[in-house]
Amino acid sequence: MQGFNKYYPPDFFDNVDKHGSLNAYRGKHALGDRARKLDQGILITRFELPFNIWCGTCNNHIGMGVRYNAEKKKIGAYYSTPIFSFRCKCHLCDGWFEIQTDPKNTRYVVVSGARQKDEDWNPEENGGFAVHDTEAAAVPADPLASLEKTTDAQKGLVKAQDRLESLQEASEHYHADPFSLSSKVRKRFREEKKVEKAKKAADDRIKDRYALPESLSLIEDDDKAAEDAKAEWARGRRELELRESNKRRKLAVEITTIPTSSASRRPVTKRPAPTNPIASLRARVLENTARQSNPFGGPPKA
């Protein structure tokens, strides 16, 4: 009987030392069908294309990100980093292509069966520097340059040492008595909190008295704010007086320029023009009232 889950067949325990596990007992690998070529050093893995390629057999384009069941095999090493080969079968034809890792340049390389789409940006061709410079440039030995480098390093060390000493002194000053420093900070915080609490209570009383919204923020009552408020009040007062003066002047001009009706047959006696605009307005109103009560100009009815 086949063993599965946590069930072990009775004959499994007849020779436990020989089997060791259910996979060995059934003659199967833990990876199943993926390990069918494990004796050749090949493991079937899921491989995703890292770039766009053209298949060398059918010449069709295969986009980046397409996944294949690839035959993974170790073919070498770069120092202690292994180099793997992934052999995939094209899903559009029966051709095979192989891609290998390149630890030296941290990239993938198409070895056979396909052609990679060149989309890499070369910094050397655009005025930059090589990203992966594995071979150090040969620098000619210059004793004077080496001496200058040593002198600069010594000067930098002296400056850094002075800076470190100043930082050490500042650290010792601020951490010599942490209790007293903490007490000063907490005392100052309590005083500021007390002042803020009193100010908030005063603002709340003013808002309650004048029914102001809670979200309204009141300015601080200081000398500068009082002077600004007085200046603003004086400016508003002057603007109000100017508007009232212009309104009175305009009304006086309109009163003096009211046209008289020529349809009246009543003889109009000329009166001396009053010098006061209010008296002129009163006379004009009385005249219009008399004209409306006797439109034909006759003597008034008793």
Side-chain angles (χ1 to χ4, degrees):
M1 183 177 180
Q2 182 180 0
F4 57 91
N5 291 341
K6 295 184 179 180
Y7 175 77
Y8 291 85
D11 54 349
F12 173 79
F13 299 98
D14 295 342
N15 195 353
V16 179
D17 298 336
K18 178 181 178 181
H19 304 309
S21 64
L22 284 175
N23 291 324
Y25 170 74
R26 301 304 303 174
K28 293 185 177 181
H29 196 272
L31 298 178
D33 191 54
R34 294 174 53 195
R36 62 180 182 272
K37 296 183 180 180
L38 200 60
D39 55 343
Q40 305 175 16
I42 299 174
L43 178 65
I44 308 299
T45 60
R46 196 68 173 166
F47 179 73
E48 181 177 337
L49 289 182
F51 39 67
N52 298 321
I53 64 172
W54 281 277
C55 178
T57 304
C58 61
N59 202 25
N60 287 323
H61 177 266
I62 304 176
M64 178 178 60
V66 179
R67 298 179 181 180
Y68 293 96
N69 292 329
E71 297 180 356
K72 179 181 178 182
K73 183 178 181 181
K74 181 180 178 181
I75 59 174
Y78 176 73
Y79 293 101
S80 60
T81 305
I83 300 176
F84 293 102
S85 170
F86 299 91
R87 187 168 178 266
C88 310
K89 183 179 180 181
C90 179
H91 66 286
L92 301 174
C93 64
D94 294 334
W96 290 78
F97 58 89
E98 183 177 352
I99 299 177
Q100 294 181 2
T101 59
D102 186 7
K104 181 179 180 180
N105 299 314
T106 62
R107 55 177 299 179
Y108 289 91
V109 180
V110 179
V111 178
S112 62
R115 178 167 49 91
Q116 178 185 353
K117 183 179 180 181
D118 189 9
E119 296 178 329
D120 294 337
W121 182 77
N122 190 357
E124 294 182 347
E125 296 178 357
N126 296 274
F129 298 94
V131 179
H132 304 286
D133 190 6
T134 56
E135 298 180 0
V139 180
D142 188 358
L144 295 179
S146 177
L147 181 61
E148 291 178 357
K149 184 177 180 180
T150 305
T151 306
D152 294 340
Q154 291 178 355
K155 292 180 180 179
L157 181 61
V158 172
K159 293 181 180 179
Q161 186 175 1
D162 296 340
R163 178 60 177 167
L164 290 175
E165 290 178 356
S166 63
L167 292 175
Q168 184 68 23
E169 293 177 358
S171 178
E172 292 177 355
H173 172 71
Y174 286 111
H175 294 84
D177 190 3
F179 177 76
S180 60
L181 295 177
S182 178
S183 300
K184 291 179 181 179
V185 172
R186 288 186 283 110
K187 182 179 179 181
R188 180 179 177 183
F189 175 74
R190 285 193 296 268
E191 293 176 355
E192 293 179 354
K193 185 177 180 181
K194 186 177 180 180
V195 173
E196 291 293 335
K197 188 175 181 180
K199 181 178 178 298
K200 185 177 183 302
D203 293 346
D204 292 340
R205 287 194 299 269
I206 294 175
K207 291 178 182 179
D208 294 339
R209 183 185 305 170
Y210 298 102
L212 298 176
E214 294 292 337
S215 59
L216 180 64
S217 59
L218 303 179
I219 62 175
E220 296 182 1
D221 189 9
D222 53 0
D223 297 338
K224 185 176 183 303
E227 293 178 359
D228 294 342
K230 290 181 180 179
E232 186 67 21
W233 181 85
R235 186 180 64 82
R237 182 71 177 178
R238 288 194 299 269
E239 292 180 356
L240 179 61
E241 292 177 354
L242 182 60
R243 287 197 301 269
E244 293 294 336
S245 176
N246 293 336
K247 187 183 297 184
R248 288 194 298 268
R249 189 179 298 108
K250 184 177 180 181
L251 180 61
V253 171
E254 291 179 355
I255 290 174
T256 55
T257 58
I258 294 177
T260 58
S261 176
S262 60
S264 177
R265 299 180 182 178
R266 182 178 179 181
V268 180
T269 58
K270 294 184 179 180
R271 300 176 182 177
T275 58
N276 191 357
I278 299 177
S280 175
L281 176 61
R282 181 181 179 186
R284 187 61 56 85
V285 170
L286 293 175
E287 183 179 353
N288 292 338
T289 304
R291 188 180 299 112
Q292 290 178 2
S293 61
N294 191 5
F296 299 102
K301 296 180 181 180

